[in-house]
């Protein structure tokens, strides 16, 4: 028996067999659509949206949606413990202290900022002192400071910049003797411009901190 | 007798198997070498010429969009390296991909499931897989915020903007939507109940839960690739800092303590590091930090300066996309995740990687309105995402 011939024959046969099996898969015709159920992100490829429900249609207004019993785990960080320099102050713990109040915007006290800056300019300080005096006259009142930016800069960066501006104003109030527990901050980034338009005039009106008295 | 275990047949079987494997390997390597060539050229930004014929106009436009945004260019048959041929058979859509060089059919398949868009996306995925060896983006989704009647709401759509759904109707304000990895769910910032706080939203049931409940700022949620950890920006200690927590918001740990602002966290592919923006050491720059805390390390962007924000780490871990803002103008850039000379790509803001680590979705202003577009990083090709709301921003690609 000629061994090499046998090897070649068998090898050829097996190769052809394997190839044939392989070809079967790519043979023209209909095969199952690949990727079903494995594409993307773990959901099926069916019509988009069919699996998505819109809370506005599923009763957001009638009690569905935010589950108020399902939170409360975010506050266990011991606040302020890492600060030794006294240069800033933790925010109040309780969100509810600042909701469901009568809101009065203190329009004439709005503080304006330089581009991409959060430090309070010296000539803006008297406005904050005026607000401090109002709070001293109304010991039960609380205050929300809203921080805003112009449209330059990216949206999430502006959201933190707006917060930093509100916090700077708050620090001035605390130094004026107002308890930090009476003040909350709320950044809107570039989402709530006071003036529309892409001009320096509009920008300078939009880089601001606004005071909302809560009673 | 053939399989009787004696020395001769064992030897025979072994040699046989060896030869078969060698031949098979040669065949496979030949295929792979051709594929490698295309993959290599494509990575370097060379378009892959492909022709489309025999499809309906709707299917053709979907295939063109899908393929051109992933590095192909639709050309006449004579110039095509690949030919995608449609035919009318028993299936609602049939596609045959032919390699022009060898004349070989790479596949011939029928598509019956879903609507016309769905079938065309599946076919485009098969073309991408056959030519580039990667998973196509045809069935992926994005989330974004859209402005409706003066309020921002959360939207979810196909990656190309079709089948958009408004999934909130709060008439308040929302920001920074991000997908829960591998799930049909989002985290985002909601202003609905007072100060901005992070909420989770199950898109199947519509159920929402508050993840944070603090005064001040609670925003920029980013879930770790395994979906277990949450990075976010909180200001509760008196300045906007980077925090991590479990996905339900418990066990909050503060990672930065600077008086300056930190912003825009994003996770490394292995979940060990977080990249974020900080102005703590001068300028608005990128840093990385171990997710368990430690010293922040600057990520160099080379000669690309300005305010460096909105980093997004690619799912394969190799790249960080970000926005550089100079004089109010944003540019989408990418840099190797270890830092280096960044590559400016296109005018826009807020890039977010597709699961393929090749495409980005980003926001740019057209005629004073915020719109979303897709970018193919190697070829720098841009396609507009179908616009649903008057303005759209802060896109997040499900992955």
């Amino acid at each position: 028996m000629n061994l090499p011939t046998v090897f070649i024959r068998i090898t050829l046969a097996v190769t052809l067999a394997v190839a044939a099996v392989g070809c079967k898969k790519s043979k023209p015709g209909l095969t199952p659509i690949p990727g079903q159920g494995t594409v993307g992100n773990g959901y099926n490829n069916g019509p988009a949206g069919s699996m998505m429900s819109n809370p506005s249609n599923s009763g957001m207004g009638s009690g569905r949606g935010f589950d108020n019993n399902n939170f409360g785990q975010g506050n266990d960080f011991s606040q302020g413990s890492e600060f030794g320099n006294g240069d800033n102050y933790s925010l109040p713990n309780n969100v509810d202290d600042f909701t469901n109040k009568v809101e009065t915007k203190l329009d004439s006290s709005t503080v304006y900022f330089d581009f991409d800056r959060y430090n309070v300019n010296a000539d803006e300080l008297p406005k904050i002192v005026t607000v401090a005096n109002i709070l001293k006259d109304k010991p039960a009142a609380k205050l929300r400071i809203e921080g805003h930016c112009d449209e330059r800069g990216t949206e999430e960066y502006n959201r933190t910049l707006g917060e930093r501006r509100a916090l700077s104003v708050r620090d001035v109030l605390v130094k004026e003797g107002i308890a930090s527990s009476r003040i909350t901050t709320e950044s809107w980034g570039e989402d709530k411009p006071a003036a529309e338009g892409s001009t320096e005039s509009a920008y300078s009106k939009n880089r601001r901190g606004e005071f909302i008295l809560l009673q | 007798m053939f399989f009787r275990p004696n020395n001769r047949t064992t030897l025979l079987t072994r040699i046989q198997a060896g030869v078969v494997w060698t031949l098979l390997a040669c065949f496979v390597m030949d295929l792979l070498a051709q594929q490698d060539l295309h993959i290599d050229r494509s990575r370097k930004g060379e378009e892959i010429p492909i022709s489309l014929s025999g499809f309906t106009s709707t299917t053709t436009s979907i295939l063109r969009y899908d393929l051109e945004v992933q590095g192909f260019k639709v050309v006449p048959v004579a110039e095509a390296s690949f030919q995608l041929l449609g035919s009318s058979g028993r299936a609602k859509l049939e596609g045959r991909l032919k390699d022009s060089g060898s004349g070989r059919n790479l596949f011939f398949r029928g598509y019956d499931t879903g609507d016309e868009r769905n079938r065309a996306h599946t076919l485009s995925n098969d073309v991408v897989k056959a030519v580039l060896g990667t998973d196509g983006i045809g069935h992926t989704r994005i989330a974004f915020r859209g402005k409706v009647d003066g309020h921002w709401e959360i939207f979810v759509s196909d990656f190309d903007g079709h089948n958009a759904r408004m999934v909130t109707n709060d008439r308040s304000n929302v920001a920074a939507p991000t997908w829960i990895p591998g799930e049909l769910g989002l985290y985002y910032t909601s202003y609905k109940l007072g100060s901005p706080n992070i909420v989770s939203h199950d898109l199947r049931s519509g159920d929402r839960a508050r993840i944070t409940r603090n005064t001040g700022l609670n925003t920029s949620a980013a879930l770790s690739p395994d979906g277990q950890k949450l990075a976010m920006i909180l200001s509760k200690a008196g300045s906007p800092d980077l925090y991590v927590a479990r996905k339900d918001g418990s066990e909050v740990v503060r990672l930065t303590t600077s008086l300056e602002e930190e912003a825009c966290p994003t996770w490394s592919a292995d979940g060990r590091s977080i990249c974020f923006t900080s102005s703590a050491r001068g300028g608005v720059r990128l840093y990385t930090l171990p997710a368990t805390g430690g010293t922040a390390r600057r990520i160099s962007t080379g000669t690309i300066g300005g305010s460096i924000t909105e980093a997004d780490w690619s799912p394969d871990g190799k790249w960080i996309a970000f926005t550089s803002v100079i004089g109010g103008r944003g540019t989408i850039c990418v840099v190797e995740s270890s830092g280096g000379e960044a590559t400016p790509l296109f005018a826009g803001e807020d890039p977010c990687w597709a699961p393929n680590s090749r495409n980005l979705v980003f926001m740019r202003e057209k005629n004073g309105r915020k719109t979303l577009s897709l970018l193919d990083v190697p070829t720098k090709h841009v396609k507009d995402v179908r616009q649903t709301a008057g303005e759209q921003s802060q896109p997040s690609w499900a992955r």
Side-chain angles (χ1 to χ4, degrees), chain B residues 70-277:
Chain B
Q70 294 175 90
F72 292 81
K73 184 174 174 60
V74 175
V75 296
V77 178
E79 302 159 29
S81 297
F82 296 93
Q83 297 166 39
L84 187 58
L85 307 148
S87 62
S88 49
R90 278 184 297 147
K92 286 171 182 161
L93 171 65
E94 289 185 6
R96 176 160 59 101
L97 182 65
K98 188 175 163 190
D99 183 331
S100 301
S102 66
R104 200 165 50 210
N105 282 339
L106 298 180
F107 67 75
F108 186 5
R109 288 184 192 131
Y111 304 87
D112 270 327
T113 309
D115 61 11
E116 186 170 14
R117 300 199 64 80
N118 234 289
R119 295 191 290 271
H121 287 317
T122 311
L123 174 54
S124 79
N125 277 357
D126 285 349
V127 173
V128 170
K129 188 78 178 179
V131 176
L132 296 177
T134 53
D135 290 332
I137 57 176
H139 288 295
T140 59
R141 287 199 178 93
I142 54 171
F144 52 90
R145 64 177 198 155
K147 206 170 193 178
V148 179
D149 298 335
H151 300 280
W152 290 99
E153 305 283 359
I154 299 291
F155 286 75
V156 173
S157 74
D158 295 351
F159 80 100
D160 56 7
H162 284 263
N163 294 315
R165 297 282 163 119
M166 191 169 97
V167 298
T168 64
N169 192 10
D170 294 342
R171 303 187 65 76
S172 169
N173 193 33
V174 290
T178 189
W179 288 86
I180 303 169
E183 289 182 32
L184 198 57
L186 303 171
Y187 278 47
Y188 52 86
T189 305
S190 170
Y191 286 61
K192 188 175 168 61
L193 298 179
S195 50
N197 269 286
I198 295 166
V199 301
S200 64
H201 186 151
D202 181 332
L203 291 169
R204 284 194 168 83
S205 64
D207 288 341
R208 297 196 282 185
R210 292 187 77 159
I211 301 299
T212 62
R213 189 178 173 80
N214 305 302
T215 54
L217 184 65
N218 306 269
T219 193
S220 301
L223 286 146
S224 59
D226 68 2
Q228 297 305 306
K229 292 277 186 179
L230 171 67
M232 54 195 166
I233 303 298
L234 311 180
S235 70
K236 62 181 187 173
S239 73
D241 279 306
L242 173 65
Y243 290 73
V244 288
R246 287 171 48 164
K247 64 180 175 183
D248 63 359
S250 66
E251 293 178 27
V252 180
V253 177
R254 186 177 175 192
L255 296 188
T256 65
T257 56
S258 78
L259 279 174
E260 313 291 325
E261 65 268 31
E262 272 76 44
C264 313
T266 177
W267 291 81
S268 65
D270 63 8
R272 289 186 183 168
S273 305
I274 296 168
C275 177
F276 61 100
T277 285

Side-chain angles (χ1 to χ4, degrees), chain B residues 15 33 42 61 65 125 142 203 276 297 321 349 377 393 398:
Chain B
I15 295 170
S42 181
S61 72
Y65 185 100
N125 277 357
I142 54 171
L203 291 169
F276 61 100
R297 188 175 70 84
E349 293 179 16
V377 171
S393 73

Side-chain angles (χ1 to χ4, degrees), chain A residues 29 32 47 50 76-77 94 111 126 142 147 161 170 186 189 197 200 211:
Chain A
S50 64
D76 54 2
F77 177 74
N94 195 347
V111 174
K142 295 183 186 297
L161 177 61
R170 171 177 164 274
E186 186 173 294
E200 182 49 44
F211 297 98

Side-chain angles (χ1 to χ4, degrees), chain A residues 65-93:
Chain A
F66 290 110
D67 178 0
N68 281 315
N69 298 319
N70 202 1
F71 58 80
Q73 300 181 69
N75 279 330
D76 54 2
F77 177 74
S78 70
Q79 299 198 14
S81 60
E82 294 178 28
F83 289 97
N85 55 16
D87 275 339
N88 63 7
Y89 315 88
S90 295
L91 268 63
N93 278 318

Side-chain angles (χ1 to χ4, degrees), chain A residues 22 73 94 114 151 161 175 187 189 191-192 197-198 205-206 209:
Chain A
Q73 300 181 69
N94 195 347
D114 291 337
E151 66 180 26
L161 177 61
K175 278 170 187 150
S187 175
D191 289 348
K192 227 198 238 182
S198 302
K205 291 187 182 78
N206 292 336

